[in-house]
Amino acid sequence: MKPLIVANWKCNPSTFAEAEKLFLAVSRGASKTGAEVVICPPFVFIPGLSAITKNPVKLGAQDAFFQEGAFTSQISINILKQFGCKYIIIGHSEKRALGETNKIINKKIKACLENNIIPVFCIGENRQERRLGKTSKILKSQLKEGLKGISPFNIGKLVIAYEPIWAIGTGNACDTDKAKEANIFIKKTLTDFYSGKNIQKVRIIYGGSTNPDNALSFIKDAGMDGLLPGGASLDAKKFVAILNKF
Ligand code: PEP
């Protein structure tokens, strides 16, 4: 399977003109990549970018609400679907830091799966938890809560992003050994929760200070199925350099 590279633009750039320029530069640069490429811009840029989306770049979103109706400020999955969003990042640590709970994350993952959207479910420990040797415990509880009630049939559609919080936006990516350990632990935990072949279809990707120099080693050495670059995805040259590793 092709490596999956999901760009998280976060709350950037500040204007649509810049977003369009970046999107077009990445689309041009991505023409020869062997990776599956998904760009997740801020919500308001999605309609404009969907009009200029072309292979191999796909559009995604950074979040979505699990319901429609009287929910001021929220954006539903159906609203996003009409603009061709195929993937939605759910449970990013920056959303969790603003109060998003495992319970809400679980509802959002279920809503994505029910609507044929692929959730990119983010999990990861913070620096203190890593220092105290609690990484496995944290990953297990995030997986347990986030996947509550998700059927063995649907589980195979999921993408799980291992994003150690201490590596996000710091320039200090996780060692490939640690990323490999987390990858193996996530797979083992999924096997404990579910039986059946669908578990092997779950894609596990890595995010946290990825760049053109370390991108390949997360796939080759840590066995990841892809990457979730944040900062590097805002620089067309850097992001295309990552894509062209594959
Ligand atoms: C992220 O936004 O999830 C992320 C991993 O950011 P960065 O690549 O900048 O660490």
Side-chain angles (χ1 to χ4, degrees), residues 5-39:
I5 314 292
V6 182
N8 178 11
W9 284 6
K10 310 192 188 199
C11 191
N12 297 291
S14 15
T15 64
F16 181 71
E18 290 168 276
E20 191 179 39
K21 195 171 159 204
L22 177 57
F23 194 83
L24 289 171
V26 170
S27 302
R28 274 193 304 274
S31 62
K32 291 196 184 93
T33 185
E36 182 178 358
V37 188
V38 180
I39 295 186

Side-chain angles (χ1 to χ4, degrees), residues 8 10 92-94 122 163 167-171 207-210 228-232:
N8 178 11
K10 310 192 188 199
H92 192 279
S93 59
E94 288 155 13
C122 299
E163 294 217 301
I168 297 179
T170 59
S209 296
T210 51
L228 201 167

